[in-house]
Amino acid sequence: MEVPALERFLSPGKGSGLRSRRQVRPGELLYRAEPFAYVVTKEQLGGVCEQCLQRNEHLHRCSQCKVAKYCGKSCQKEAWLDHKRECKCLQNVKPNFPPDSVRLAGRIVFKLLRQSACLSERLYSFKDLQSNAEQLSEEMKEGLGHLAHTLQLYLRAEIQDASHLPPAIDFFQIFTKVTCNCFTISNGEMQDVGVGLYPSMSLLNHSCDPNCVIIFEGYQLLLRSIREIQIGEELTISYIESLMPTSERQKQLKRQYCFECDCCLCQDQEKDAKKLAGEEPAWKEVKDAVNEVKYPKSKEEWEKVLAKCQHLLSSHTSHLPDTNIYQLKLLDCAMDACINLEAWEQALCYGSRTLGPYRLYYPDFHPLRAVQLMRVGKLQYSQGMLPQALGTLKQAYDIMKVTHGTDHSLMQALMDLKEQCEAMMKLH
């Protein structure tokens, strides 16, 4: 019988953790987790199915709340257990809509009331989850208090008096747990589509230079190794975007997770100077502009985003190198806008400029770099640049077979594209 890949243990100075029970090679699937509860993000509402999280142009909406949308009858039927009670709550608060964390907390409350066993709690249960409540800043506590009150109002259609709930269901406590334990669910292309709670995977501790990554296939969470891992070695993931400079990473980890990271990247801070290279007033302006961009819904909104990006890129040509992380985010934003506006040639121009910085900041196996290479390869293919496209897609493949594995739907799409490219080259 195959040895399970991981086990729970007490990690020195960190509390509970997960470690490897055997020698692991890069690219192994170590765990597949089901969610305890999950919701589609507000930005993606109506664009992806509430159950399977797949993007779909022709979704069918719930006839009662008219909010939840599904790809078809089978997804709607599967989702009903989780949607049944929230359906009334969503109708009751119209025209308002709860924040993602409140909707997720609502689903957690209904799940706890059902008292059903859940696969996601095999290694660690919802009850076990750490909340760090006593270490949170007063500002955070106040914010979570407001959310707990919002949850009470949101659930009123189903739970008239929260004081009659079992003692284990405390709204404030639920939010303290959600804050430091929920995962952002991304699609294959690393775009955020939902938020979910996977209790067993909350055992994973953080490193800015981890030996594992988490990716998603629909709502399923996949934990994959990206390095050689020895027997008894702790498994780590990055809780945050590692592109940020050390001081920003430390600030976010302290605020949200209540600890300071002492990994090798945080100790040597070697790439920080490159991340903030160029003139400070210029990158601060770009940083503010990038943070202001919300997910555009229409062609007009994308055109405005592109115009803003182009203005900043042309006005800071000599002030910011492409390795500056905010300039890099701006190039990404301009590329996204061009793809949505079908300006393929321009999208390729911006995308090509990102590949050097991506290689610098994601030198090993990182899903973001794989996805970026695939996007640029696709654009090169669309422009008839077949040898360049094939080279880029091969690079994406070498990373993605480790980060996503050959069974992942995005890997399948990449292999199809690579084959098309090879077939076209034989014709020329």
Side-chain angles (χ1 to χ4, degrees), residues 327-347:
Q327 172 87 343
L328 180 57
K329 286 181 178 184
L330 190 63
L331 288 166
D332 259 334
C333 198
M335 179 188 179
D336 283 344
C338 289
I339 288 171
N340 279 280
L341 295 167
E342 299 183 6
W344 311 122
E345 198 175 337
Q346 240 181 323

Side-chain angles (χ1 to χ4, degrees), residues 309-320:
C309 291
Q310 287 171 330
H311 167 70
L312 286 166
L313 285 166
S314 60
S315 59
H316 294 317
T317 306
S318 57
H319 307 295
L320 290 180

